[in-house]
């Protein structure tokens, strides 16, 4: 049996991945060069910066394209990390414009065009990308424009408000925001995990303990509902009519990863609390057992069958979120980096598809391109490559360690929960009168014509 010391050395061994993407995993320059190619391929799926298209979103939602609104928010988080880890500013302008365009009328990442199909997790993915922009010192918007920290606070404030909360299942966020949405009766891990994660990061960034107390409350609720069991399996959620006891035992990698990332931020915020250290170690135990096969990331919920476009993007989040865990909870570094390195090696090996011969698939454990090409798959491999560059990148900043983003602790608080109709103007009334007259006239003419016939 290998000693622990030997295992720690293994991930440092020379590895050159030969394929359509040729990468020396010991060379940051080589990793950056490969990431540059993957970033280019990823951005070919985005057309929001073209005339007639909507800035910020990937083509969709179905049936108009493969992607939902929230995946745009996820994309820009990936591109902010790409810039942060590589220093390549090629896509900074398009990322900035996209993030600003989708802030919505109330500067809370709940634009009216999407609110009726909006989940708490959807809003959170945009909010977490704004939080990432603050933590990575991405270019600040001009004075008077929506600021990254304030946007993240707006999302968090709205999700903490009584409008989003009820006593069913003893608390917790529902998956969907509006009662008309399918899934409103479901309280799941990802909605609550995102809220937990944002709260932990806001607490660390601002030193406002209110955020941390909410994160502790959310963690305790998740544990009380047994969405995490004693073996650190992380389950998906439960339904309100059953008091959330009908637990959906499906395991998704991003559920575990969002909780692990939030726990790491809480560990840092609480000055290396033993409780959070134990929780971090437990979650890593569970993730390594469930989601890594021989060191390669695997999505058990779908890889044996069919993966949705959502699922096809999970691996990138896992790599990116685990990478930051090593920065804010450094005791995890050797163990996590060993996993990220072996997983990235497998990911790159199968990027041999598409017209350019380097498009990436999703089934990394096979070592063979699976023919499934898309934005999610490219985000996954981009995240895998960037996750190996943490040694050269600064840890997430706070407002006392160089952060410059301007916050607003009351942001979002007064935003309407339900989409509001615009006030009726005199012009609207006049237009309505003309339209009524036209309809009435048409009806009368039709009736006369029928009578004459």
């Amino acid at each position: 049996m290998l000693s622990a010391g030997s295992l720690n050395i293994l991930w440092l061994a020379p590895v050159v991945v030969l394929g359509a993407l040729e990468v020396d995993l010991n060379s940051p320059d080589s990793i950056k060069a490969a990431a540059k190619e993957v970033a280019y391929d990823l951005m070919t799926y985005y057309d929001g910066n073209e005339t007639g298209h909507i800035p910020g979103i990937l083509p969709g939602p179905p049936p108009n394209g493969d992607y939902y609104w929230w995946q745009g928010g996820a994309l820009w988080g990936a591109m902010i990390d790409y810039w942060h880890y590589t220093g390549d500013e090629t896509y900074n302008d398009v990322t900035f414009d996209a993030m600003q365009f989708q802030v919505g009328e109330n500067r809370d990442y709940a634009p009216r065009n999407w609110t009726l199909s909006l989940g708490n997790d959807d809003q959170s993915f945009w909010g977490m990308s704004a939080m990432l922009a603050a933590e990575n010192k991405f270019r600040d918007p001009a004075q008077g424009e929506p600021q990254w920290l304030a946007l993240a606070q707006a999302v968090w404030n709205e999700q903490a408000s009584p409008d989003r909360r009820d006593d069913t299942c003893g608390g917790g966020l529902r998956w969907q925001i509006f009662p008309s949405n399918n899934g409103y009766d479901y309280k799941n891990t990802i909605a609550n995990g995102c809220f937990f994660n944002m709260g932990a990061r806001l607490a660390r960034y601002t030193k406002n303990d209110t955020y941390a107390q909410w994160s502790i409350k959310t963690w305790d609720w998740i544990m009380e509902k047994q969405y995490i069991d004693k073996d650190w399996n992380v389950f998906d959620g439960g339904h309100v009519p059953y008091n959330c006891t009908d637990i959906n035992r499906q395991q998704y990698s991003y559920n575990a990863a969002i909780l692990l990332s939030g726990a790491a931020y809480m560990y840092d915020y609480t000055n290396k609390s033993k409780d959070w250290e134990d929780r971090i170690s437990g979650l890593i135990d569970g993730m390594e057992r469930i989601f890594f096969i021989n060191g390669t990331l695997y999505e058990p919920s779908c890889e044996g069958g069919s993966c949705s476009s959502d699922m096809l993007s999970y691996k990138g989040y896992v790599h990116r979120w685990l990478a930051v865990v090593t920065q804010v909870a450094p005791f995890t570094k050797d163990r996590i980096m060993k996993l990220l390195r072996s997983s990235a090696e497998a990911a790159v090996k199968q990027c041999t598809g598409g017209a350019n011969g380097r498009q990436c698939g999703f089934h990394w454990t096979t070592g063979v391109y699976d023919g499934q090409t898309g934005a999610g798959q490219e985000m996954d491999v981009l995240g895998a490559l960037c996750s190996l560059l943490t040694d050269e990148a600064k840890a997430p900043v706070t407002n006392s360690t160089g952060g410059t983003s301007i916050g607003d602790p009351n942001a979002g608080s007064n935003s309407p929960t339900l989409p509001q109709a615009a006030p009726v103007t005199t012009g609207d009334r006049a237009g309505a009168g003309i339209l009524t007259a036209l309809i009435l006239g048409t009806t009368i003419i039709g009736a006369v014509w029928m009578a004459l016939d």
Side-chain angles (χ1 to χ4, degrees):
M1 179 179 289
L2 293 171
S3 68
S6 299
L7 288 172
N8 288 339
I9 292 170
L10 280 178
W11 67 267
L12 294 171
V15 175
V16 176
V17 180
L18 297 176
L21 286 175
E22 185 172 319
V23 187
D24 178 356
L25 296 184
N26 288 326
S27 166
D29 287 341
S30 179
I31 295 170
K32 290 176 184 178
K36 186 179 182 72
E37 292 184 320
V38 176
Y40 175 86
D41 292 342
L42 168 58
M43 290 302 291
T44 64
Y45 291 93
Y46 176 67
D47 61 9
N49 56 344
E50 298 176 7
T51 302
H53 294 269
I54 301 173
I57 65 171
L58 288 160
N64 299 317
D66 292 334
Y67 308 101
Y68 291 93
W69 179 75
W70 74 270
Q71 289 172 291
L75 168 63
W76 306 121
M79 297 312 293
I80 290 169
D81 264 345
Y82 169 70
W83 158 76
H84 178 65
Y85 286 120
T86 68
D88 181 6
E89 299 180 354
T90 301
Y91 306 104
N92 282 15
D93 286 346
V94 68
T95 299
F96 182 94
D97 292 344
M99 289 282 291
Q100 288 287 303
F101 188 87
Q102 290 292 333
V103 298
E105 296 77 7
N106 297 306
R107 299 185 173 192
D108 57 358
Y109 284 120
R112 286 179 186 149
N113 284 351
W114 303 104
T115 44
L116 290 180
S117 60
L118 192 65
N120 281 301
D121 55 339
D122 302 333
Q123 185 186 29
S124 288
F125 264 84
W126 286 89
M128 289 189 295
S129 290
M131 190 71 224
L132 185 66
E135 293 168 333
N136 285 354
K137 298 184 69 173
F138 190 64
R139 184 174 89 229
D140 286 324
Q143 185 177 0
E145 297 301 314
Q147 305 297 311
W148 306 128
L149 178 59
L151 285 163
Q153 289 171 310
V155 173
W156 187 92
N157 283 341
E158 290 183 5
Q159 294 186 3
S161 73
D163 289 341
R164 300 277 181 97
R165 302 278 167 170
D166 57 52
D167 294 331
T168 60
C169 300
L173 273 174
R174 293 174 182 261
W175 177 25
Q176 298 295 307
I177 296 173
F178 302 112
S180 59
N181 289 359
N182 184 31
Y184 180 74
D185 66 344
Y186 193 53
K187 292 193 173 183
N188 62 356
T189 299
I190 193 58
N192 289 280
C194 289
F195 179 75
F196 163 74
N197 183 283
M198 282 197 298
R201 294 161 70 178
L202 285 166
R204 178 181 177 273
Y205 193 98
T206 66
K207 301 299 185 287
N208 183 336
D209 196 58
T210 299
Y211 298 118
Q213 293 306 312
W214 269 95
S215 286
I216 292 168
K217 179 180 177 180
T218 302
W219 175 272
D220 289 346
W221 181 84
I222 291 170
M223 295 297 293
E224 177 188 329
K225 301 317 295 182
Q226 298 180 31
Y227 290 0
I228 304 174
D229 72 6
K230 62 181 179 60
D231 296 318
W232 297 99
N233 294 299
V234 178
F235 304 124
D236 192 60
H239 290 89
V240 169
Y242 299 93
N243 196 34
C244 297
T245 59
D246 63 327
I247 296 174
N248 176 357
R249 300 178 71 84
Q250 187 65 265
Q251 297 198 59
Y252 300 104
S253 61
Y254 81 149
N255 279 339
I258 196 72
L259 293 173
L260 175 55
S261 170
Y265 277 96
M266 288 299 294
Y267 169 82
D268 190 52
Y269 174 75
T270 57
N271 196 25
K272 303 179 181 180
S273 157
K274 184 66 166 59
D275 285 343
W276 288 110
E277 179 180 339
D278 291 343
R279 291 161 182 165
I280 290 167
S281 296
L283 286 167
I284 296 173
D285 288 344
M287 289 198 70
E288 186 170 5
R289 184 181 68 251
I290 300 298
F291 301 111
F292 288 87
I293 296 179
N294 297 323
T296 300
L297 191 55
Y298 177 82
E299 192 62 42
S301 62
C302 74
E303 284 203 54
S306 177
C307 300
S308 69
S309 65
D310 290 1
M311 297 172 185
L312 291 172
S313 65
Y314 289 174
K315 292 180 182 180
Y317 315 140
V318 173
H319 266 266
R320 289 171 48 220
W321 295 342
L322 264 62
V324 81
V325 169
T326 69
Q327 294 183 307
V328 293
F331 77 91
T332 66
K333 181 175 180 178
D334 286 347
R335 184 177 182 186
I336 287 179
M337 289 308 301
K338 177 177 178 288
L339 289 171
L340 296 183
R341 183 183 175 90
S342 59
S343 184
E345 179 185 352
V348 172
K349 279 182 178 176
Q350 52 81 50
C351 293
T352 61
N356 62 11
R358 67 180 187 219
Q359 292 276 309
C360 305
F362 186 68
H363 295 78
W364 297 357
T365 57
T366 67
V368 178
Y369 173 64
D370 60 15
Q372 298 183 30
T373 299
Q377 293 91 318
E378 298 300 321
M379 272 197 282
D380 292 339
V381 176
L382 184 63
L385 289 167
C386 289
S387 72
L388 303 183
L389 296 170
T390 54
D391 283 346
E392 293 201 340
K394 291 182 179 179
V397 301
T398 70
N399 62 6
S400 61
T401 62
T404 59
S405 189
I406 298 171
D408 177 1
N410 297 313
S413 300
N414 298 319
S415 299
T417 301
L418 294 171
Q420 302 293 310
V424 178
T425 66
T426 302
D428 293 330
R429 293 190 183 95
I434 293 169
L435 181 60
T436 302
L438 287 171
I439 293 172
L440 182 59
T442 302
T443 303
I444 293 171
I445 292 169
V448 171
W449 177 263
M450 289 176 67
L452 293 173
D453 191 41

